[in-house]
Amino acid sequence: MSCSECGGEQLDFTVPEELREFLRGDSAHVALCTRCLTLDPIEDAPDDLPDFTTISDAFPNDDETAATLALAVGLLADSLTLHRAEIESLLERVERAGTDPLLAIDYLATDPNLEPAFDWERRQVQLEQLLYE
C-alpha cells in the first residue's frame, strides 16, 4: 500500500497497547510513510514493531520509543493544533525514555532522504514551548 499523501512506501506496524489512546479512529494498526512521515490507519499489521531506523537513523534504536516518536511525528504532520495534547504526551514519553525528541525531529526534518509533511522551522518554537514551559 502507498502513502495517501505522497505515494511513498509505508512501514506498517501495530501500535503498542499503551500508546493506542493517542490514535485517531479505531484501528490499532498504522502505516508510517517512509518519505513524508504521515500516518495512515490500516486494516492489519505485524505484531512485532519494525526497525524504524530503516526510515532514518534519527529514530531511536529502542523499538517502543521509536514507535512513540513515529506516532508523534505522524500527528505533527497531520496537525499540531488538533493533536497538541497527544503530541505533547508522546514527546514527553520519548524524552523520559532517554531520547531528545526535538533533536530527533530536527534530524528527521533535515534528513535528505525524507520530505516531511510538516514545516519544522514553523513548528519548532511551538514544540519547544509545549515541552519546556
Side-chain angles (χ1 to χ4, degrees):
M1 196 164 152
S2 305
C3 173
S4 62
E5 291 294 317
C6 73
E9 291 183 33
Q10 294 180 305
L11 188 64
D12 301 347
F13 65 101
T14 300
V15 177
E17 184 86 30
E18 61 275 7
L19 299 175
R20 292 184 186 164
E21 67 183 277
F22 302 107
L23 290 173
R24 312 170 296 236
D26 297 329
S27 179
H29 310 287
V30 295
L32 180 68
C33 179
T34 62
R35 182 185 311 152
C36 72
L37 303 176
T38 59
L39 282 176
D40 284 324
I42 57 174
E43 293 289 322
D44 196 24
D47 288 333
D48 293 333
L49 289 172
D51 179 4
F52 290 92
T53 62
T54 60
I55 297 174
S56 172
D57 289 338
F59 280 100
N61 289 323
D62 173 61
D63 292 341
E64 194 160 317
T65 304
T68 306
L69 182 61
L71 289 176
V73 169
L75 292 175
L76 182 63
D78 185 41
S79 171
L80 176 59
T81 303
L82 291 176
H83 307 295
R84 181 182 178 123
E86 293 89 347
I87 292 168
E88 180 178 12
S89 294
L90 288 165
L91 293 181
E92 285 174 354
R93 286 174 180 242
V94 169
E95 189 171 40
R96 282 194 307 269
T99 297
D100 182 333
L102 297 180
L103 186 59
I105 295 172
D106 186 45
Y107 286 149
L108 289 170
T110 58
D111 187 320
N113 298 316
L114 300 175
E115 298 173 22
F118 58 89
D119 181 351
W120 174 237
E121 290 180 14
R122 288 183 47 208
R123 301 256 168 83
Q124 188 173 14
V125 173
Q126 296 166 318
L127 286 175
E128 287 173 358
Q129 290 172 344
L130 278 178
L131 292 176
Y132 302 116
E133 266 192 359

